[in-house]
């Protein structure tokens, strides 16, 4: 199904996908989503529900997924706030992560399974961060190619978007999602996840006015959807210099162009 979604997206770049919501609560999608959640490196960390994926016994998996599927199908599913956690960065500063609840992780993983094949058809080749089959080392290899013969670029400009995940405008992001996703149920679910709120360590609740919590399974894909317009801007800007430059000059590793 993922292959078909991707093929349809590539075949028609103006296609808006409808009738996707049933895939999110499809038992097969939920089972694969659960497997990805359980194997994630953060599977020992719990959200505000106090449940870490590694804590769920195998004989309870079926019941849990059935319950999540029924809530999604009946549209009674309501995301809970993410648990705010501060982790140290390499420069000595702190980065805030938002740890979703167990069921929210499953739902986000299922959404990603449905949405990623569609949006992967649109993302620019210069984008390497948080994409399947690509990583930062690939971006570095491309930069090395640009700075070697025959291209021999003599300058590299590095930029960084301050608190990229925290500052994504929800309205703008949903407009970009709607370019490809016509299904209102899918968009409404994404909106509820974005607006679920944040629970600070002192148990103070904060509303989610902007951003996609860094730590959520769906957040990297949402960030790429939001940043795709930036990639296109640089692509158009670069191409305006003329066709004599045979290779692109823009490489984005995560939120760092």
């Amino acid at each position: 199904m993922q292959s078909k979604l991707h093929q349809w997206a590539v075949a028609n770049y103006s296609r808006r996908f409808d009738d996707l919501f049933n895939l999110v609560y499809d038992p097969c999608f939920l089972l694969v989503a659960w497997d990805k959640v359980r194997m994630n490196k953060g599977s020992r960390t719990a959200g505000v529900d106090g449940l870490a994926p590694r804590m769920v016994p195998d004989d309870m998996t079926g019941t849990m997924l059935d319950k999540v599927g029924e809530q999604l199908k009946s549209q009674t599913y309501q995301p809970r706030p993410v648990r705010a956690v501060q982790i140290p960065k390499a420069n000595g500063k702190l980065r805030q992560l938002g740890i979703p609840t167990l069921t929210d992780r499953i739902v986000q993983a299922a959404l990603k399974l449905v949405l990623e094949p569609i949006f992967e058809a649109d993302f620019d080749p210069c984008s390497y961060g948080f994409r399947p089959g690509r990583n930062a080392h690939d971006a570095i290899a491309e930069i090395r190619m640009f700075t070697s013969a025959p291209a021999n670029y003599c300058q590299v400009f590095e930029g960084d978007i301050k608190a990229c995940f925290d500052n994504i405008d929800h309205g703008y992001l949903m407009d970009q999602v709607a370019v490809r996703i016509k299904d209102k149920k899918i968009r409404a679910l994404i909106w509820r996840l974005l607006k679920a709120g944040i629970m600070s360590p002192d148990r103070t609740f904060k509303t989610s006015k902007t951003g996609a919590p860094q730590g959520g399974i769906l957040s990297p894909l949402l960030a790429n959807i939001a940043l795709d317009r930036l990639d296109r801007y640089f692509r158009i800007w670069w191409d305006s210099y003329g066709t004599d430059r045979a290779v692109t000059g823009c490489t984005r590793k995560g939120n760092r162009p």
Side-chain angles (χ1 to χ4, degrees), residues 12-29:
N12 185 355
Y13 285 100
S14 62
R15 177 170 179 168
R16 298 182 70 216
F17 288 77
D18 207 350
D19 298 325
L20 294 175
F21 191 66
N22 62 308
L23 294 177
V24 179
Y25 61 79
D26 181 276
C28 293
F29 272 76

Side-chain angles (χ1 to χ4, degrees), residues 179-240:
V179 170
R180 275 298 202 171
I181 307 302
K182 186 178 179 181
D183 193 320
K184 293 182 179 180
K185 294 179 181 178
I186 289 277
R187 302 203 315 252
L189 180 57
I190 296 173
W191 183 259
R192 290 199 300 272
L193 286 165
L194 290 172
K195 294 298 185 182
I198 304 168
M199 191 70 71
S200 61
D202 62 358
R203 305 298 293 180
T204 300
F205 175 80
K206 297 180 181 178
T207 58
S208 306
K209 295 182 180 180
T210 62
Q214 190 168 358
I217 293 175
L218 188 62
S219 294
L221 175 59
L222 295 179
N224 271 337
I225 293 172
L227 291 172
D228 186 58
R229 286 288 294 275
L230 179 65
D231 294 334
R232 292 172 186 268
Y233 170 80
F234 278 115
R235 171 71 63 185
I236 294 171
W237 175 79
W238 180 258
D239 290 345
S240 69

Side-chain angles (χ1 to χ4, degrees), residues 94-105:
L94 295 176
R95 171 185 289 124
Q96 178 171 290
L97 297 185
I99 310 300
T101 63
L102 175 64
T103 52
D104 286 346
R105 289 186 227 191

